Amino acid sequence: MAVVAASGCAPAGGQGPGRRAAALGHSPAGGGLAGLLAGVLACVLAGCAGPVSTLQPAGPAAREAAQLWWGMLTVGVIVLIGVVALWLHALRRPSAMVGPAEAKRITLLWLVGGGLLLPGFTLIALLAFGIPAGHRMLPLPLAGGEAPLRIEVIGHQWWWEVHYPDSGVVLADELHLPAGQPVDVVVRSADVIHSFWIPRLAGKIDMVPGRSNLIRLQADEAGEYRGQCAEYCGVSHAFMVLRVVAHEPAAYAAWQQERGG
Amino acid sequence: MSGEASDWPRPRGGGKGEGGGAGTGAADKVPQSSDGDPDPARLHEDFNAVWGNPRGWRSVTIVNHTAIGLRFMLTGLGFFLFGGLLAMLIRTQLALPGHTIMTPEVYAQVFTMHGTVMMFLFAVPMMEGLAVYLLPKMLGARDLVFPRLSALGYWCYLFGGLILCASLFLGIAPDAGWFMYTPLASATYTPGPNSDFWLIGITFVEISAVSAGVELAVSILRARAPGMSLDKMPLYAWYILTMAMMIIIGFPPLILGSILLELERAAGMPFFDPTRGGDPILWQHLFWLFGHPEVYIIFLPAAGIVSTLLPVFARRPIVGYAWVVVAVLTTGFISFGLWVHHMFTVGIPMLAQAFFSAASMLVAIPTAIQVFSWIATLWLGRPVFHLPMLWLTGFLVIFVAGGLTGVMLALVPFDWQVHDTHFVVAHMHYVLVGGMFFPLIAGLYYWLPHFSGRMASPALGRWGFWLVFGGFNLNFLVMHWTGLLGMPRRVNTYEAGLGWDLPNLVSSIGGFIMAAGVVTVLADILLHFRFGRPAPDNPWQADTLEWATALPPSPYNFISLPRVEGRHPLWDQPGIGRELAAGRGGLAVIDHGRRETWGTDPASGEVREIIHLPGNTALPFLAALSLAALCIALLAKAYGVALAAAVVVAGLLLRWSWENGAHPAAAPDARTAPGDPPLHSRTADGPGLWGMALTLLADGALYLALLFGWFYLWTVGPTWQVPEGGGMAGSAGRLLLAAAVVHTLAQFGMRRMARGGALRHGAAAFAAVAAGGALALGLVYAALQAAALVVTATAHDAVIAVVLGYSLAHLGMATAVTLLQALRVRRGYVGLEAPYEPLVVARLWHYNGGVLWSSYAALVLFPPAWGGAWGGV
Ligand code: HEM
Ligand SMILES: [Cu+2]
Ligand SMILES: [Cu+2]
């Protein structure tokens, strides 16, 4: 357990599976407030490292999601403890006889303060962080104007068909991509709904027959990652796994050359 | 809210008369006008002669709400145990990596059935059952206003549930997850009958939910104690009213979706098939349009239990009654605008996602208002701690935690990560178990004396609580972590070394501890029926009227009906129970042989008429039995048998509506006591008007969901195809227009009949109106023919066929009941003294008129306006 814990929960970037120890010493929280409390609690519970752990992100989108989690966990724990403490205190409090006017004042205080203001402000704060974070994850045009690499993935019961339109390379159950640069993945389905998900790189996107969806991925460093189908798609859903390999850009080019040529 | 501090409970003297019977006739201190009270024991006997429940096989004829409510709850408990057993199977399989005690096929059936059973056969019916049992008592009435409908609902629930669960034993249970996403659930990818069991079984059970919804809403609005204006209603009634309205509006989209998917599976009509112009995402919209409100349909009645119990244990009225009412209504309203938060990963435009994200978070506000009202109530009260309070405290901890993860999930970028993982499984159990199961157990303990006349033991109960609470958190708190570590939901097993081994083992251990806790609680409850000490009157010193009945109550609840002056009748008049049992309230006569309760004004609660209620009858049982036969025939694809069963159902329902109103079986004697208002069937204002209105609301929700599908496919369906030629252009459209015009004329005729024309023109005029309906029906049928639809070729033609089929069914129904009215006029059941039924029937006509015109607009006017490719328009 201690070993797992020591392997760290750092949302900070870029550990391949073999390099988890490097996470030691990073701050567990990228998001300011989300501090030790959350990190310690979490690591004591079970550790957050793992080949498909969203809490050991290896790409910008997954990292932002993990940061959101740590921040929300911190605020959530505080709110939960606060509300439960209030409840327990109210239960045990020696009953003071309050007059009707005083009762009215207290009522208003609780209802306006706890019922309106507390959730109101929390939600505004949450959206203020969340909407921009979601926006940054979108496959928007890049600043430089050049188009990111495009890969097409088609879900089948129960395997992944991976196409590289630029080079004509076709793979099964394996996705190769260059590290350190954004990649757009177009997903489709050949049969039922699947969901394309590489937890350490980014969130998931459904593969829906009749539609194409787009998701942007980026692996910060070369290494192996694991993708898996997230939408129940039939009996072998649990085994619909995708091997993801991020290469250094030069190695990626070489790999494409070799496969495509 | 002004008088809040003044209506504190007054402690009552130690009344400790034994429960059972109708009170002991002790001398009463509160004087009231009474001229020689009759003997209470005699009164009880006389009332029981009219209201009593038969035993043996005749007990299938019982329609009384107390019996039906208990049946709902017992059956719900049975399904809960079944669903719990399935949960234990799941947890056993997931306890260790690579553990395969079940094949993937079986595992899929087990998790699908676990979710389905828990949501549809446990949570919703349990909450309805409790409401059916409690509401009339709390409102000071003798029964719900449509007792036969309660019975029908119960039997549909039982038979539907049994059919559904039987599939698991046959090894052909639904296996595509409890939300049946298509194409996985379609005939191509699930060729066996698995999905059919879900679609047909759940639709059957849904009849029960919708009928309970109509029943509860009308009863709350129209059958309260005199004087109980809306602002004096117990909070529980507000919660149930909201739940009932949500069921009425929220379930029809699922019923429609299920019908469409079943039509796709059985008849090849491609509503959701993208290769023929359909869209699988439409199913998701229809499902979650229901599915999100569903979780509030489950939570709100549970919160109603909290708001009922908490003030009693805090020994003061709830703080902020009006705030809570507004919060509950707002929750119901908002919850219809959130469904897309279950679909953040399907590729919906970002702007829409942001909107639904913010809207989803908004529900936190009314929920927080309730939580803080509860805290403030404890704060300002003088709380006493009994076992139910322990469960309420557990509820608070777990539910607030679940609410917080819910807000997290509403944040789109975070949801993209944890959607469809065990994080979501953990979240939903926090809100479902915390928000529904814990208050339910609190409520069961609280109302136990009502069911049994006895009190439960505190010791065993505490053990049960701590086992459930501890086991639950061990199981599901850790499961959040499993999800964050990347474990998708619905995987039948997993490899070792992904970091999931330990948390899964811990979860499974927690699950078993929780199961032990559930068994302890059940043992406690069972034992108490034997060993519990007899309950005193009003054992918790509660304020609501259900504690003014005998413990356990008689089927009629009250010998005579109370009048209510404030929000807390039993705190205001602690002796009211004995008063009523002595016959000193309203409607204390029974020699007319009618079951009666007050019909009151929806807002002010003042008396408007006497509602007379039908007695025991086998019709609901037989109707449900034939419906079950219909379902089984559909499952077996024996369509001839299905047609025969449908005819039997229709016959039974017509018979049912025949024995209504002024029919001798319904009200043998129309005389009422001097000073009392008339019977509802002799006025123009009975509860049936409301029943019809709310049924049509449900019907309208279904129809709107259908139009939603049509417009959805036209505007955003990615592979929408409009076939060349045919369709509603040309003569089909003109025929539909003609049908709408003819119907409008007939509708005017119906309106005149409803306004009293029935009295002057009699049966022949009804027959003429019915003929108009039949003509409109024929024209719609001609339109269907002229459209030359190829329903298996495109979703376009399939939807048109359903829209027209819907009109045909409705016109047929209206024509039939109007003919029945003609007959009833001839028999004298409808006429000068009984002017009420034509008003009810007229509502159906107006509704149908609306349907025809909007179908015309949607099918004929909309497509060219949108720019559809129609050569000939
Ligand atoms: C008694 C303790 C319970 C345990 C141990 C338990 C366990 C589980 C587990 C492990 C799953 C995930 C299955 C999977 O994704 O493979 C699940 C799914 C589910 N549970 Fe429970 N559950 C319990 C009680 C309940 C209750 C009381 C409800 C509702 C009122 C409920 C509603 C659901 C639903 C709706 C699903 C989703 C099913 C699906 O994915 O199709 N559960 N449960
Ligand atoms: Cu899958
Ligand atoms: Cu929801």
Side-chain angles (χ1 to χ4, degrees), chain B residues 72 75-77 79-80 113 116-126 157 160-162 164-165 202 205:
Chain B
F72 259 108
T75 311
L77 184 70
F79 284 121
F80 169 72
M113 286 300 284
T116 305
V117 167
M118 286 296 192
M119 300 298 271
F120 294 100
L121 303 184
F122 163 61
V124 176
M126 193 74 180
Y157 160 50
L162 289 179
L164 198 58
C165 291
I202 290 300
V205 173

mmCIF file of all heavy atoms in Angstrom, chain B residues 72 75-77 79-80 113 116-126 157 160-162 164-165 202 205:
data_model
loop_
_atom_site.group_PDB
_atom_site.id
_atom_site.type_symbol
_atom_site.label_atom_id
_atom_site.label_comp_id
_atom_site.label_asym_id
_atom_site.label_seq_id
_atom_site.Cartn_x
_atom_site.Cartn_y
_atom_site.Cartn_z
ATOM 1 N N PHE B 72 -48.397 -3.139 -2.651
ATOM 2 C CA PHE B 72 -47.321 -2.497 -3.404
ATOM 3 C C PHE B 72 -46.012 -2.613 -2.635
ATOM 4 O O PHE B 72 -44.968 -2.981 -3.176
ATOM 5 C CB PHE B 72 -47.635 -1.003 -3.607
ATOM 6 C CG PHE B 72 -48.177 -0.659 -4.965
ATOM 7 C CD1 PHE B 72 -49.512 -0.316 -5.142
ATOM 8 C CD2 PHE B 72 -47.337 -0.645 -6.069
ATOM 9 C CE1 PHE B 72 -50.000 0.025 -6.395
ATOM 10 C CE2 PHE B 72 -47.821 -0.307 -7.320
ATOM 11 C CZ PHE B 72 -49.160 0.026 -7.484
ATOM 12 N N THR B 75 -44.668 -6.254 -2.313
ATOM 13 C CA THR B 75 -44.142 -6.704 -3.596
ATOM 14 C C THR B 75 -42.828 -5.988 -3.898
ATOM 15 O O THR B 75 -41.865 -6.606 -4.355
ATOM 16 C CB THR B 75 -45.171 -6.425 -4.700
ATOM 17 O OG1 THR B 75 -46.440 -6.926 -4.250
ATOM 18 C CG2 THR B 75 -44.808 -7.102 -5.986
ATOM 19 N N GLY B 76 -42.796 -4.684 -3.614
ATOM 20 C CA GLY B 76 -41.567 -3.917 -3.838
ATOM 21 C C GLY B 76 -40.422 -4.485 -3.025
ATOM 22 O O GLY B 76 -39.291 -4.596 -3.505
ATOM 23 N N LEU B 77 -40.723 -4.876 -1.809
ATOM 24 C CA LEU B 77 -39.698 -5.471 -0.954
ATOM 25 C C LEU B 77 -39.174 -6.762 -1.578
ATOM 26 O O LEU B 77 -37.968 -7.007 -1.618
ATOM 27 C CB LEU B 77 -40.299 -5.761 0.421
ATOM 28 C CG LEU B 77 -39.328 -6.287 1.446
ATOM 29 C CD1 LEU B 77 -38.366 -5.186 1.830
ATOM 30 C CD2 LEU B 77 -40.077 -6.788 2.676
ATOM 31 N N PHE B 79 -39.105 -7.553 -4.736
ATOM 32 C CA PHE B 79 -38.241 -7.239 -5.873
ATOM 33 C C PHE B 79 -36.919 -6.641 -5.405
ATOM 34 O O PHE B 79 -35.877 -6.850 -6.019
ATOM 35 C CB PHE B 79 -38.955 -6.297 -6.845
ATOM 36 C CG PHE B 79 -39.995 -6.993 -7.689
ATOM 37 C CD1 PHE B 79 -41.327 -6.596 -7.671
ATOM 38 C CD2 PHE B 79 -39.632 -8.054 -8.507
ATOM 39 C CE1 PHE B 79 -42.276 -7.237 -8.444
ATOM 40 C CE2 PHE B 79 -40.584 -8.700 -9.298
ATOM 41 C CZ PHE B 79 -41.913 -8.291 -9.253
ATOM 42 N N PHE B 80 -36.957 -5.901 -4.299
ATOM 43 C CA PHE B 80 -35.705 -5.353 -3.770
ATOM 44 C C PHE B 80 -34.755 -6.491 -3.378
ATOM 45 O O PHE B 80 -33.560 -6.451 -3.672
ATOM 46 C CB PHE B 80 -35.981 -4.459 -2.564
ATOM 47 C CG PHE B 80 -34.731 -4.073 -1.814
ATOM 48 C CD1 PHE B 80 -33.835 -3.173 -2.372
ATOM 49 C CD2 PHE B 80 -34.442 -4.609 -0.580
ATOM 50 C CE1 PHE B 80 -32.675 -2.822 -1.696
ATOM 51 C CE2 PHE B 80 -33.284 -4.267 0.105
ATOM 52 C CZ PHE B 80 -32.395 -3.370 -0.457
ATOM 53 N N MET B 113 -30.598 -6.591 -15.274
ATOM 54 C CA MET B 113 -31.782 -6.846 -14.443
ATOM 55 C C MET B 113 -31.649 -6.186 -13.078
ATOM 56 O O MET B 113 -32.632 -5.737 -12.496
ATOM 57 C CB MET B 113 -31.997 -8.358 -14.289
ATOM 58 C CG MET B 113 -32.546 -9.009 -15.544
ATOM 59 S SD MET B 113 -34.143 -8.331 -16.029
ATOM 60 C CE MET B 113 -35.184 -9.118 -14.813
ATOM 61 N N THR B 116 -32.595 -2.603 -13.699
ATOM 62 C CA THR B 116 -34.002 -2.509 -14.084
ATOM 63 C C THR B 116 -34.915 -2.813 -12.904
ATOM 64 O O THR B 116 -35.886 -2.091 -12.650
ATOM 65 C CB THR B 116 -34.274 -3.502 -15.234
ATOM 66 O OG1 THR B 116 -33.362 -3.231 -16.294
ATOM 67 C CG2 THR B 116 -35.683 -3.371 -15.745
ATOM 68 N N VAL B 117 -34.610 -3.874 -12.192
ATOM 69 C CA VAL B 117 -35.454 -4.252 -11.061
ATOM 70 C C VAL B 117 -35.428 -3.164 -10.002
ATOM 71 O O VAL B 117 -36.472 -2.742 -9.481
ATOM 72 C CB VAL B 117 -34.984 -5.605 -10.470
ATOM 73 C CG1 VAL B 117 -35.620 -5.854 -9.116
ATOM 74 C CG2 VAL B 117 -35.314 -6.739 -11.426
ATOM 75 N N MET B 118 -34.229 -2.672 -9.691
ATOM 76 C CA MET B 118 -34.132 -1.666 -8.627
ATOM 77 C C MET B 118 -34.877 -0.384 -9.001
ATOM 78 O O MET B 118 -35.551 0.212 -8.179
ATOM 79 C CB MET B 118 -32.668 -1.348 -8.343
ATOM 80 C CG MET B 118 -31.949 -2.448 -7.594
ATOM 81 S SD MET B 118 -32.657 -2.671 -5.950
ATOM 82 C CE MET B 118 -31.435 -3.709 -5.172
ATOM 83 N N MET B 119 -34.757 0.039 -10.251
ATOM 84 C CA MET B 119 -35.373 1.309 -10.618
ATOM 85 C C MET B 119 -36.875 1.162 -10.838
ATOM 86 O O MET B 119 -37.659 1.963 -10.350
ATOM 87 C CB MET B 119 -34.760 1.865 -11.907
ATOM 88 C CG MET B 119 -33.285 2.138 -11.833
ATOM 89 S SD MET B 119 -32.865 3.367 -10.607
ATOM 90 C CE MET B 119 -32.987 4.871 -11.540
ATOM 91 N N PHE B 120 -37.263 0.142 -11.615
ATOM 92 C CA PHE B 120 -38.661 0.085 -12.050
ATOM 93 C C PHE B 120 -39.530 -0.772 -11.147
ATOM 94 O O PHE B 120 -40.734 -0.570 -11.084
ATOM 95 C CB PHE B 120 -38.756 -0.455 -13.480
ATOM 96 C CG PHE B 120 -38.160 0.439 -14.505
ATOM 97 C CD1 PHE B 120 -36.902 0.201 -15.007
ATOM 98 C CD2 PHE B 120 -38.854 1.549 -14.967
ATOM 99 C CE1 PHE B 120 -36.336 1.038 -15.959
ATOM 100 C CE2 PHE B 120 -38.305 2.382 -15.916
ATOM 101 C CZ PHE B 120 -37.034 2.126 -16.414
ATOM 102 N N LEU B 121 -38.931 -1.763 -10.506
ATOM 103 C CA LEU B 121 -39.766 -2.682 -9.727
ATOM 104 C C LEU B 121 -39.596 -2.477 -8.233
ATOM 105 O O LEU B 121 -40.338 -3.040 -7.435
ATOM 106 C CB LEU B 121 -39.431 -4.138 -10.084
ATOM 107 C CG LEU B 121 -39.582 -4.501 -11.554
ATOM 108 C CD1 LEU B 121 -39.320 -5.972 -11.778
ATOM 109 C CD2 LEU B 121 -40.975 -4.139 -12.046
ATOM 110 N N PHE B 122 -38.592 -1.712 -7.843
ATOM 111 C CA PHE B 122 -38.450 -1.445 -6.414
ATOM 112 C C PHE B 122 -38.685 0.035 -6.105
ATOM 113 O O PHE B 122 -39.667 0.381 -5.456
ATOM 114 C CB PHE B 122 -37.073 -1.896 -5.914
ATOM 115 C CG PHE B 122 -36.687 -1.311 -4.586
ATOM 116 C CD1 PHE B 122 -37.468 -1.562 -3.456
ATOM 117 C CD2 PHE B 122 -35.571 -0.504 -4.455
ATOM 118 C CE1 PHE B 122 -37.128 -0.994 -2.235
ATOM 119 C CE2 PHE B 122 -35.231 0.057 -3.233
ATOM 120 C CZ PHE B 122 -36.013 -0.185 -2.122
ATOM 121 N N ALA B 123 -37.785 0.890 -6.590
ATOM 122 C CA ALA B 123 -37.794 2.264 -6.101
ATOM 123 C C ALA B 123 -39.123 2.981 -6.366
ATOM 124 O O ALA B 123 -39.762 3.486 -5.434
ATOM 125 C CB ALA B 123 -36.628 3.034 -6.712
ATOM 126 N N VAL B 124 -39.533 3.017 -7.628
ATOM 127 C CA VAL B 124 -40.743 3.785 -7.939
ATOM 128 C C VAL B 124 -41.990 3.150 -7.298
ATOM 129 O O VAL B 124 -42.741 3.841 -6.596
ATOM 130 C CB VAL B 124 -40.903 3.962 -9.460
ATOM 131 C CG1 VAL B 124 -42.199 4.657 -9.781
ATOM 132 C CG2 VAL B 124 -39.742 4.752 -10.017
ATOM 133 N N PRO B 125 -42.244 1.856 -7.489
ATOM 134 C CA PRO B 125 -43.466 1.290 -6.901
ATOM 135 C C PRO B 125 -43.484 1.349 -5.373
ATOM 136 O O PRO B 125 -44.543 1.525 -4.775
ATOM 137 C CB PRO B 125 -43.449 -0.170 -7.362
ATOM 138 C CG PRO B 125 -42.497 -0.238 -8.471
ATOM 139 C CD PRO B 125 -41.513 0.857 -8.295
ATOM 140 N N MET B 126 -42.310 1.217 -4.761
ATOM 141 C CA MET B 126 -42.259 1.293 -3.302
ATOM 142 C C MET B 126 -42.742 2.666 -2.844
ATOM 143 O O MET B 126 -43.552 2.785 -1.922
ATOM 144 C CB MET B 126 -40.806 1.075 -2.876
ATOM 145 C CG MET B 126 -40.650 0.820 -1.422
ATOM 146 S SD MET B 126 -41.236 -0.845 -1.095
ATOM 147 C CE MET B 126 -40.966 -0.936 0.633
ATOM 148 N N TYR B 157 -48.382 -4.013 -12.142
ATOM 149 C CA TYR B 157 -47.033 -4.005 -11.584
ATOM 150 C C TYR B 157 -46.599 -5.426 -11.246
ATOM 151 O O TYR B 157 -45.515 -5.879 -11.637
ATOM 152 C CB TYR B 157 -47.043 -3.088 -10.367
ATOM 153 C CG TYR B 157 -45.919 -3.272 -9.383
ATOM 154 C CD1 TYR B 157 -44.591 -3.299 -9.809
ATOM 155 C CD2 TYR B 157 -46.179 -3.372 -8.027
ATOM 156 C CE1 TYR B 157 -43.567 -3.441 -8.882
ATOM 157 C CE2 TYR B 157 -45.168 -3.520 -7.109
ATOM 158 C CZ TYR B 157 -43.855 -3.560 -7.545
ATOM 159 O OH TYR B 157 -42.856 -3.707 -6.630
ATOM 160 N N GLY B 160 -46.363 -7.565 -14.555
ATOM 161 C CA GLY B 160 -45.259 -7.085 -15.387
ATOM 162 C C GLY B 160 -43.918 -7.453 -14.766
ATOM 163 O O GLY B 160 -43.006 -7.935 -15.444
ATOM 164 N N GLY B 161 -43.820 -7.253 -13.454
ATOM 165 C CA GLY B 161 -42.570 -7.569 -12.770
ATOM 166 C C GLY B 161 -42.260 -9.050 -12.855
ATOM 167 O O GLY B 161 -41.108 -9.448 -13.088
ATOM 168 N N LEU B 162 -43.289 -9.860 -12.687
ATOM 169 C CA LEU B 162 -43.054 -11.312 -12.725
ATOM 170 C C LEU B 162 -42.623 -11.758 -14.122
ATOM 171 O O LEU B 162 -41.704 -12.565 -14.269
ATOM 172 C CB LEU B 162 -44.314 -12.066 -12.286
ATOM 173 C CG LEU B 162 -44.629 -11.951 -10.778
ATOM 174 C CD1 LEU B 162 -45.906 -12.702 -10.449
ATOM 175 C CD2 LEU B 162 -43.468 -12.473 -9.933
ATOM 176 N N LEU B 164 -41.081 -9.985 -16.314
ATOM 177 C CA LEU B 164 -39.719 -9.509 -16.531
ATOM 178 C C LEU B 164 -38.713 -10.410 -15.814
ATOM 179 O O LEU B 164 -37.698 -10.811 -16.385
ATOM 180 C CB LEU B 164 -39.629 -8.079 -16.001
ATOM 181 C CG LEU B 164 -38.467 -7.237 -16.470
ATOM 182 C CD1 LEU B 164 -38.469 -7.134 -17.976
ATOM 183 C CD2 LEU B 164 -38.590 -5.842 -15.865
ATOM 184 N N CYS B 165 -38.991 -10.727 -14.562
ATOM 185 C CA CYS B 165 -38.017 -11.512 -13.793
ATOM 186 C C CYS B 165 -37.967 -12.961 -14.266
ATOM 187 O O CYS B 165 -36.927 -13.608 -14.180
ATOM 188 C CB CYS B 165 -38.340 -11.452 -12.312
ATOM 189 S SG CYS B 165 -38.061 -9.814 -11.640
ATOM 190 N N ILE B 202 -41.571 -3.570 -19.188
ATOM 191 C CA ILE B 202 -41.501 -2.266 -18.530
ATOM 192 C C ILE B 202 -42.697 -1.406 -18.925
ATOM 193 O O ILE B 202 -43.274 -0.698 -18.100
ATOM 194 C CB ILE B 202 -40.168 -1.564 -18.875
ATOM 195 C CG1 ILE B 202 -39.014 -2.286 -18.182
ATOM 196 C CG2 ILE B 202 -40.193 -0.110 -18.468
ATOM 197 C CD1 ILE B 202 -39.098 -2.321 -16.680
ATOM 198 N N VAL B 205 -45.457 -2.405 -16.738
ATOM 199 C CA VAL B 205 -45.295 -1.870 -15.384
ATOM 200 C C VAL B 205 -45.568 -0.370 -15.362
ATOM 201 O O VAL B 205 -46.113 0.168 -14.391
ATOM 202 C CB VAL B 205 -43.875 -2.180 -14.866
ATOM 203 C CG1 VAL B 205 -43.619 -1.487 -13.553
ATOM 204 C CG2 VAL B 205 -43.681 -3.680 -14.720
#
